[in-house]
Amino acid sequence: MSPRTPVRRVVSLVPSLTEAVAATEPELLAGATDWCTHPPGLAVERCGGTKNPDTARIAALAPDLVIANEEENRPSDLAALRAAGLEVLVTEVRTLEQAFSELERVLVRGCGLARPGWLDAAEAAWADVRATGPALHAVVPVWRRPWMVLGRDTFAGDVLARLGVKHLYSAHTERYPRVPIQELTARGADLVVLPDEPYRFTADDGPEAFPGLPAALVSGRHLTWYGPSLAEAPAVLTDALSAAR
């Protein structure tokens, strides 16, 4: 994307991208969702959730660019923003390589910024990551009541695979299938990986549903966010997985 005019005001509808812009040029951010929690203390106009943004409020902020994601944001909301005359950049991130390329597209080509040093650091952090030992097979719930797990073609699944963890629903027809707990516990997994978002699994809420199975409690931000946290993610996730083993 080549901006038609210099970008001076950005509204982000994706927590990962909000953090990416804030870490690169915080003055650009005019608005973000209620779920945009990083960096801590971010003081910008709040515009509702990722699935229910206040499109009228966003339009009133008169941003030069709205950044969104095809998985996190609804097409109808993005269409409403375009109908209001706003420029909307929609990302697709289903692999680590896509994360790096889309971050550059948003920041450099979308916002007109210089490529940030943290993006170089994130790529370098992953460049030498190699899984050691035999692959572990896992179930990776992302929600409870009902139980939902990682399925095919997900960014988090790609991240785990690079760390030597293959999730058992990677070939499922759905990206986030609903699976009864009885099926999950009968799949013969080596471990269960429990992130703290979007559902907040904790030591007291999640592992007890998988008796006898090692549980890795991992940072959802490091598993599912594509932004500055990518630089820390290999070490943070490896430590959590090793603790479960």
Side-chain angles (χ1 to χ4, degrees):
M1 171 186 172
S2 297
R4 292 190 295 269
T5 59
V7 172
R8 297 187 177 89
R9 291 173 63 79
V10 171
V11 170
S12 172
L13 303 182
V14 185
S16 298
L17 299 179
T18 298
E19 185 180 17
V21 175
T24 308
E25 192 69 36
E27 294 80 8
L28 283 185
L29 276 175
T33 75
D34 298 337
W35 298 104
C36 294
T37 56
H38 284 75
L42 180 66
V44 297
E45 190 77 19
R46 299 296 174 161
C47 305
T50 57
K51 304 297 185 188
N52 58 341
D54 187 333
T55 55
R57 179 179 296 181
I58 294 169
L61 290 173
D64 302 306
L65 182 67
V66 177
I67 50 179
N69 175 264
E70 52 89 29
E71 177 179 301
E72 296 201 45
N73 307 121
R74 301 183 304 178
S76 58
D77 293 319
L78 303 183
L81 293 171
R82 290 191 177 102
L86 301 181
E87 182 92 21
V88 181
L89 189 162
V90 182
T91 59
E92 178 185 281
V93 178
R94 301 189 182 188
T95 67
L96 188 63
E97 285 89 353
Q98 270 191 311
F100 292 137
S101 63
E102 289 288 68
L103 283 166
E104 176 152 348
R105 183 167 75 99
V106 167
L107 298 170
V108 179
R109 298 199 296 279
C111 296
L113 302 173
R115 180 181 166 93
W118 65 258
L119 184 52
D120 293 330
E123 290 203 38
W126 282 97
D128 296 324
V129 170
R130 299 288 184 276
T132 58
L136 294 175
H137 295 86
V139 290
V140 189
V142 294
W143 202 257
R144 185 171 189 170
R145 305 181 193 94
W147 287 95
M148 299 174 67
V149 299
L150 291 186
R152 64 168 181 85
D153 198 20
T154 65
F155 172 72
D158 186 54
V159 165
L160 287 172
R162 293 166 188 273
L163 299 173
V165 177
K166 296 183 177 180
H167 67 92
L168 292 173
Y169 290 86
S170 60
H172 198 281
T173 56
E174 298 178 29
R175 298 185 66 212
Y176 299 99
R178 296 186 181 189
V179 183
I181 188 63
Q182 296 83 357
E183 179 180 330
L184 295 180
T185 56
R187 282 298 298 265
D190 299 311
L191 79 163
V192 57
V193 177
L194 298 169
D196 60 11
E197 63 174 86
Y199 185 92
R200 186 172 180 79
F201 288 106
T202 68
D204 299 319
D205 185 357
E208 81 290 342
F210 300 85
L213 196 62
L217 294 165
V218 304
S219 161
R221 176 168 165 260
H222 291 93
L223 179 62
T224 65
W225 287 36
Y226 33 89
S229 58
L230 283 172
E232 307 168 346
V236 171
L237 294 173
T238 295
D239 286 348
L241 294 169
S242 296
R245 297 180 192 183

